[in-house]
Amino acid sequence: AQTVTQSQPEMSVQEAETVTLSCTYDTSESNYYLFWYKQPPSRQMILVIRQEAYKQQNATENRFSVNFQKAAKSFSLKISDSQLGDTAMYFCAFVVGGSQGNLIFGKGTKLSVKP
Amino acid sequence: GAVVSQHPSWVICKSGTSVKIECRSLDFQATTMFWYRQFPKQSLMLMATSNEGSKATYEQGVEKDKFLINHASLTLSTLTVTSAHPEDSSFYICSAVNPSGRRNEQFFGPGTRLTVL
């Protein structure tokens, strides 16, 4: 079975500090894509960052970066210089390449950024 | 960017009635759309995959006769909750894949909150 595990139901961080959200996944496929999505209180799902499994280089998007460890099947998200607007639910997800494209989501981590 | 809309954003209906939710890709043609259900403080649960011009593929445990999906055009998919009951109350989210965009990247609609009285 293909699964995504987010072991931290809730986390908090002080504004301007750095926080890392954990994610592990399980799949026997070699071609897949990994994502972190953010869901703020508005409940609109927003793509934060994306990683192709065949790329060794970790993806970065401004203050967001990932630590992708393929052998360990780990895909953590680091948020630097946390801002109040980063407060949201964060979902880790992956999709198998060549499939219909349905995402497999983790249960999410609720991140609170405190002033 | 790729924008997906949903209508309505919030609907209240009486038990036993049917409710239709629309999902539209506004600036791209989506051959594949997905329908998710999200309970409070939980993750997204895939209900079905909708392909334009063909029957939807439902996930195990999802009643296809209750949740009717129609993907009649490349920009519109609809989810009809038939004979709704209070347990169908939930947040429904659609997403769409832009075939011209990055592979396997889904764009999500803003969601529809359904309350069945």
Side-chain angles (χ1 to χ4, degrees):
Chain A
Q2 296 170 333
T3 58
V4 177
T5 302
Q6 294 179 250
S7 58
Q8 305 150 316
E10 292 191 36
M11 292 193 74
S12 65
V13 63
Q14 290 296 129
E15 194 175 8
E17 296 194 342
T18 296
V19 64
T20 299
L21 308 184
S22 301
C23 172
T24 58
Y25 59 93
D26 189 23
T27 180
S28 58
E29 303 288 338
S30 59
N31 177 24
Y32 53 89
Y33 300 79
L34 295 156
F35 305 87
W36 278 97
Y37 281 91
K38 166 185 176 180
Q39 188 179 41
S42 68
R43 303 191 77 170
Q44 170 73 60
M45 294 288 284
I46 301 166
L47 177 65
V48 175
I49 201 164
R50 158 199 173 101
Q51 173 85 42
E52 290 90 343
Y54 62 84
K55 288 188 176 179
Q56 292 186 340
Q57 186 172 5
N58 290 323
T60 62
E61 288 287 344
N62 301 314
R63 298 182 295 107
F64 299 88
S65 61
V66 298
N67 183 1
F68 174 44
Q69 301 290 327
K70 190 171 184 178
K73 296 182 180 175
S74 171
F75 183 61
S76 61
L77 174 70
K78 185 171 82 171
I79 306 174
S80 304
D81 186 25
S82 297
Q83 300 176 359
L84 296 178
D86 295 334
T87 293
M89 281 290 290
Y90 286 81
F91 293 100
C92 178
F94 83 92
V95 62
V96 174
S99 69
Q100 283 211 82
N102 49 297
L103 286 164
I104 299 170
F105 284 95
K107 291 187 176 182
T109 296
K110 183 178 180 182
L111 177 67
S112 299
V113 180
K114 301 186 184 302
Chain B
V3 180
V4 176
S5 70
Q6 274 184 248
H7 178 81
S9 56
W10 196 353
V11 58
I12 301 173
C13 70
K14 292 183 178 179
S15 186
T17 61
S18 295
V19 174
K20 180 184 285 188
I21 302 170
E22 293 185 348
C23 176
R24 292 181 185 274
S25 56
L26 298 185
D27 50 3
F28 66 98
Q29 294 185 325
T31 53
T32 303
M33 290 184 171
F34 301 90
W35 286 95
Y36 297 88
R37 184 174 181 176
Q38 186 179 32
F39 290 106
K41 299 184 179 181
Q42 293 191 21
S43 188
L44 282 71
M45 181 191 78
L46 179 66
M47 299 176 67
T49 302
S50 169
N51 292 299
E52 188 268 337
S54 63
K55 290 184 178 180
T57 303
Y58 291 81
E59 294 299 301
Q60 193 171 10
V62 177
E63 299 176 61
K64 60 180 68 176
D65 293 331
K66 181 167 189 59
F67 298 100
L68 300 178
I69 292 172
N70 188 327
H71 195 154
S73 77
L74 287 172
T75 59
L76 173 65
S77 177
T78 59
L79 167 67
T80 302
V81 183
T82 62
S83 186
H85 291 287
E87 57 265 31
D88 299 325
S89 298
S90 190
F91 193 66
Y92 293 88
I93 305 174
C94 73
S95 70
V97 176
N98 182 356
S100 301
R102 294 190 297 183
R103 191 173 295 179
N104 293 126
E105 184 170 335
Q106 293 185 25
F107 297 90
F108 287 83
T112 297
R113 185 185 303 276
L114 170 63
T115 300
V116 184
L117 302 177

